[in-house]
Amino acid sequence: MITRDFAPGSPCWLDLGTPDVRGTAAFYGAVLGWEYESMGEGQDMEGGIFRKDGKVVAGLGKLTEEGARPAWMIYYGVTDADATTRAVERAGGTVRVAPRDLGEWGRMAQYSDPLGGEFAVWQPGKDSGVELVDEPGSLSWTELYTTDAGAAKEFYGGVLGWRFSDTELPGGGGTYTLITPAGLPEERMHGGLMELPAEHLALTDGRPYWHPVFAVADCDTAVAEVTGNGGSVQRGPQDAEGVGRLAVCLDPSNADFVLLTPSGG
């Protein structure tokens, strides 16, 4: 589960880069019941925040990086973004955005792991992160598809202090690795990673990638909104034993995310 105490190493923020801010805002409004609040529009800036029931759940911005694909960026909390940056470099990762202050709100940096999976960190100032998690219409899990689970565990364990536990998926579906922040019990696990061959990672031409899992009250109803508002479904809806009912989806710009109605939800 994800909680709002935002212990170091746990997810605390996410934002989406998209070529169509207004259209994307309308899509997630239909699918997740989010309200979009623009922070300004202009040649150099277009974006804002999403709220659910008045609480901030994510950010949205214009995709400006040349050659970048529309995608969700997940931020993990750290106590020192500069120290984390040095750890990323020592472990063979790449600094995409060097640590920088965002006013009094906090300090951020963005990286790629050694295999190409992109992620970010947030050192909180006045702002510790999103205001709603683990409830319908909010972030409930994070997930990495990678071409080398062992290398991913070595990198993220060293950089963010994560602990890992492997579980076998039903029906010979492979091994799924559960992620827990350092020093916390397993009930605080916040995500997972799974090794897949490069040919199964068509979205990124074979490069590993992270995506968010959003809780929803009814997966099938939410999926109908996905397809009815210009998105598509890669897999599901389907039941996952002990997890719930889920679907892997793409928004109209092909940014990927998962919808999950937890077991008993």
Side-chain angles (χ1 to χ4, degrees):
M1 65 183 296
I2 297 175
T3 69
R4 286 201 67 254
D5 66 3
F6 299 134
S10 60
C12 60
W13 179 256
L14 69 164
D15 54 37
L16 174 62
T18 181
D20 178 9
V21 169
R22 288 183 175 272
T24 299
F27 172 82
Y28 286 98
V31 174
L32 294 172
W34 288 352
E35 306 94 30
Y36 176 63
E37 181 179 317
S38 175
M39 304 296 283
E41 296 183 17
Q43 190 169 10
D44 298 323
M45 174 180 156
E46 183 181 357
I49 57 174
F50 284 117
R51 295 182 184 270
K52 173 72 172 177
D53 301 327
K55 297 179 179 179
V56 176
V57 290
L60 179 65
K62 183 83 169 179
L63 186 65
T64 57
E65 183 179 344
E66 187 174 348
R69 76 175 185 98
W72 284 97
M73 179 68 70
I74 300 170
Y75 293 71
Y76 296 95
V78 296
T79 56
D80 186 332
D82 296 272
T84 301
T85 298
R86 293 191 291 272
V88 166
E89 293 175 321
R90 286 195 302 269
T94 301
V95 179
R96 300 182 63 251
V97 178
R100 66 185 187 193
D101 292 324
L102 298 183
E104 59 188 347
W105 302 106
R107 190 165 173 79
M108 61 79 70
Q110 294 184 359
Y111 315 108
S112 295
D113 68 29
L115 297 168
E118 296 179 1
F119 70 105
V121 297
W122 179 251
Q123 177 186 330
K126 280 185 63 176
D127 191 348
S128 58
V130 293
E131 296 173 347
L132 185 70
V133 292
D134 220 28
E135 297 285 345
S138 69
L139 182 69
S140 65
W141 193 252
T142 65
E143 196 166 58
L144 172 66
Y145 291 163
T146 182
T147 50
D148 188 334
K153 286 190 273 189
E154 181 178 0
F155 173 80
Y156 289 102
V159 170
L160 293 173
W162 290 345
R163 295 186 298 109
F164 305 98
S165 58
D166 292 342
T167 183
E168 294 304 313
L169 295 174
T175 301
Y176 192 84
T177 299
L178 301 165
I179 302 170
T180 304
L184 294 180
E186 284 200 349
E187 57 262 27
R188 287 292 304 277
M189 61 183 61
H190 64 256
L193 66 87
M194 188 170 182
E195 182 173 309
L196 294 169
E199 58 266 27
H200 289 190
L201 305 179
L203 277 178
T204 54
D205 296 322
R207 192 180 73 244
Y209 60 91
W210 285 94
H211 57 220
V213 178
F214 299 116
V216 290
D218 187 308
C219 183
D220 294 75
T221 299
V223 164
E225 293 292 349
V226 169
T227 57
N229 287 277
S232 59
V233 179
Q234 288 190 300
R235 189 172 75 250
Q238 63 192 50
D239 294 319
E241 183 180 348
V243 176
R245 189 160 176 80
L246 58 84
V248 182
C249 304
L250 300 174
D251 70 18
S253 298
N254 283 343
D256 57 301
F257 61 97
V258 175
L259 299 173
L260 171 67
T261 300
S263 297

